[in-house]
């Protein structure tokens, strides 16, 4: 009998008594139940592919580059504070992705059931993290899954919504917006005991209230939050493309066409660009990682480019956001003449996007393009020609939130 079976048997003996009432969160029985779930919560079933590369949308997600990853103790003194902090992280990932409060609610219910909404470093088989995701099933490395921002992003958005391969999240599920909350959770988790998710709704709502989360928040059109028929009725038949989203950059040089080669530009970094490593040191480090590095960079492009310049983390969850939040004067939209050491950005068709370090001579250091999880030196045009991504532009290596 595995952890799920044991929990299912326990649930049958106790009937529906495990449905949690808002006023009984501190009760001993509830704590015991949560501990059992934390210990026995199973990983996520279904076949997945860790090397889900190929096609538009690869590498899919780049989440959790926020310096987090500390394991939490269900019996710790800060138990409730940790739950509330994790709830806020989940809601921020949902809100940043344009998702409604309903998506946050489903995610909170799921995390309560799987891990008691704590960042566990253990579970059934190799399950870990808030959602008990399994590295062996392609949800990411242990280090990635232990970062709440990353694990929440994977639950909500999956690895690649444009592909039939790889991990799929809540927004990949047709009709998730209107199906019962517990059913939506089950579609992602593939649990042996799907009936248990619904019982977490009251607890999830109470934690959301304590965390100041608006579960009635509307989602943004085109973000997978509304019924497709409603979008069509409103005339929103497609999401904004890169032209609409990233027009605030002044740009420089003459934009080229997709697939055209990149050439070295000559633009000194502005005074505010300061990093632990110089440009020359960063390029040397990136090349060495391509030659001798380990496979730790699976879907971690933003984490990689921050590390190239000597930071432990970038402070921003998504590559797309890193470019979008760049000061307008530093962005060079569509310019195919980046200086060596520049950061180059692409819209991959997914929430995260992609970023790589330009090495000069038309080459970049990029993760996942040749070997999943590894860095390789490739032509900068490969992101367009092999992944079908849209080049957004380049910017200096500016990490104002790095640490």
């Amino acid at each position: 009998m595995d952890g799920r079976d044991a929990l299912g048997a326990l649930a049958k003996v106790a009937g529906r008594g495990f449905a949690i009432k808002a006023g009984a969160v501190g009760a001993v029985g509830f704590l015991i139940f949560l501990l059992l779930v934390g210990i026995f919560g199973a990983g996520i079933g279904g076949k997945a592919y860790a090397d889900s590369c190929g096609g538009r949308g690869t590498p899919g997600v780049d989440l959790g580059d926020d310096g987090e990853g500390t394991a939490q103790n269900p019996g710790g003194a800060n138990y409730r504070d940790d739950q509330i902090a994790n709830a806020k992280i989940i809601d921020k990932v949902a809100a940043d992705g344009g998702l409604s409060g309903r998506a946050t609610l489903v995610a909170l219910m799921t995390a309560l059931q799987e891990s008691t909404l704590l960042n566990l470093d253990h579970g059934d088989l190799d399950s870990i993290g808030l959602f008990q995701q399994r590295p062996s099933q392609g949800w990411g490395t242990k280090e990635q899954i232990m970062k709440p921002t990353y694990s929440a992003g994977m639950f909500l958005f999956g690895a690649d919504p444009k592909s039939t391969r790889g991990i799929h999240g809540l927004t990949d599920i047709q009709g998730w917006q209107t199906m019962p909350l517990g059913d939506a959770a089950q579609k992602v988790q593939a649990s042996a005991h799907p009936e248990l998710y619904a019982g977490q709704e009251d607890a999830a709502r109470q934690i959301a209230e304590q965390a100041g989360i608006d579960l009635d928040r509307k989602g943004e059109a085109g973000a997978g939050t509304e019924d497709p028929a409603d979008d069509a009725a409103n005339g929103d038949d497609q999401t904004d493309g890169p032209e609409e989203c990233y027009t605030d950059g002044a740009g420089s040089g003459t934009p080229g066409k997709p697939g055209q080669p990149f050439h070295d530009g000559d633009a000194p970094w502005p005074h505010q660009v300061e990093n632990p490593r110089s440009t020359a040191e960063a390029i040397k480090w990136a090349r060495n990682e391509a030659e001798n590095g380990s496979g730790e960079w699976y879907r971690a492009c933003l984490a990689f480019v921050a590390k190239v310049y000597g930071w432990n983390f970038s402070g921003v969850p998504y590559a797309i956001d890193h470019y979008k939040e760049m000061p307008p004067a530093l962005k060079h939209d569509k310019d195919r003449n980046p200086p060596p050491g520049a950061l180059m950005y692409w819209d991959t068709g997914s929430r995260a996007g992609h970023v790589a370090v330009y090495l000069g001579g038309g080459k970049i250091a990029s993760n996942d393009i040749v070997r999943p999880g590894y860095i390789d030196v490739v032509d900068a045009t490969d992101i367009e020609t092999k992944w079908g991504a849209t080049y957004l532009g380049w910017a200096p290596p500016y990490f104002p939130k790095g640490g």
Side-chain angles (χ1 to χ4, degrees):
M1 177 180 291
D2 63 17
R4 289 278 187 187
D5 292 334
L7 188 57
L10 182 60
K12 289 180 181 178
V13 171
R16 295 292 175 177
F18 284 117
I20 301 165
K21 303 303 180 182
V25 175
V28 174
F30 175 46
L31 289 177
I32 294 174
F33 171 66
L34 290 181
L35 288 171
L36 284 172
V37 174
I39 294 171
F40 295 114
I44 297 165
K47 190 173 183 179
Y49 298 85
D51 57 341
S52 55
C53 296
R56 184 173 176 82
T58 304
V61 296
D62 180 41
L63 306 171
D65 184 28
D66 50 13
E68 298 170 351
T70 303
Q72 295 167 337
N73 180 8
N78 298 321
Y79 175 86
R80 193 60 165 181
D81 291 341
D82 289 339
Q83 286 183 313
I84 291 173
N86 291 332
K88 289 180 178 179
I89 291 173
I90 290 172
D91 185 59
K92 186 179 188 303
V93 173
D96 287 350
L99 300 184
S100 63
R102 182 182 180 85
T104 296
L105 179 57
V106 173
L108 291 179
M109 291 168 57
T110 304
L112 276 166
Q113 172 58 33
E114 295 289 353
S115 69
T116 71
L117 194 52
L118 295 177
N119 198 30
L120 302 180
D121 60 0
H122 61 278
D124 184 57
L125 300 177
D126 60 337
S127 301
I128 53 173
L130 290 176
F131 297 90
Q132 291 290 279
Q133 293 156 338
R134 297 180 60 189
S136 65
Q137 297 301 304
W139 288 84
T141 66
K142 180 176 181 180
E143 290 74 18
Q144 288 173 325
I145 296 172
M146 284 299 293
K147 294 181 178 181
T149 303
Y150 175 93
S151 61
M154 289 294 282
F155 175 83
L156 292 167
F157 302 105
D160 181 4
K162 301 290 184 179
S163 172
T164 58
R165 297 184 65 192
I167 296 297
H168 291 272
L170 181 66
T171 54
D172 297 318
I173 300 165
Q174 186 174 5
W176 72 266
Q177 305 94 328
T178 56
M179 68 176 58
L181 298 167
D183 291 353
Q186 169 63 8
K187 289 287 187 180
V188 180
Q189 301 296 95
S191 167
H193 296 282
E195 72 280 0
L196 295 177
Y197 294 113
Q200 301 288 3
E201 182 178 353
D202 287 344
R205 289 187 179 277
Q206 185 184 51
I207 288 177
E209 182 178 359
Q210 293 177 346
I213 294 171
D214 180 13
L215 295 179
D216 295 322
R217 179 185 67 245
K218 300 293 184 181
E220 298 175 9
T225 62
E226 309 297 338
D227 190 297
D230 293 338
D231 285 348
N234 294 328
D236 298 326
D237 58 353
Q238 60 183 9
T239 59
D240 290 340
E243 258 74 29
E244 286 113 6
C245 292
Y246 304 100
T247 56
D248 54 345
S252 66
T254 303
K257 296 180 180 180
Q260 287 186 341
F262 291 87
H263 301 284
D264 295 2
D266 183 15
W269 305 148
H271 65 87
Q272 66 263 48
V273 177
E274 296 182 356
N275 297 299
R277 289 196 181 101
S278 68
T279 300
E281 291 170 339
I283 291 175
K284 181 179 179 180
W285 193 94
R287 288 187 177 277
N288 182 69
E289 185 68 16
E291 294 176 3
N292 305 304
S294 62
E296 63 180 290
W297 303 111
Y298 183 53
R299 298 191 183 119
C301 58
L302 185 56
F304 169 69
V305 299
K307 192 72 172 180
V308 165
Y309 276 93
W311 300 102
N312 290 321
F313 55 90
S314 72
V316 180
Y318 301 92
I320 284 285
D321 290 341
H322 195 247
Y323 188 64
K324 188 175 181 180
E325 295 177 9
M326 194 74 64
L330 302 188
K331 296 196 295 186
H332 301 262
D333 294 341
K334 304 295 184 182
D335 182 14
R336 302 179 80 86
N337 300 284
L343 306 183
M344 301 175 67
Y345 300 83
W346 289 265
D347 172 12
T348 61
S350 73
R351 174 67 176 90
H354 188 63
V355 61
V357 176
Y358 186 64
L359 303 178
K363 302 290 186 178
I364 58 172
S366 174
N367 61 310
D368 297 341
I369 185 67
V370 176
R371 301 171 295 166
Y374 289 85
I375 304 301
D376 287 287
V377 175
V378 298
D379 291 335
T381 53
D382 281 2
I383 308 300
E384 294 170 305
T385 59
K386 293 187 177 181
W387 283 352
T390 301
Y391 175 60
L392 296 177
W394 66 269
Y398 184 49
F399 298 94
K401 299 179 181 179

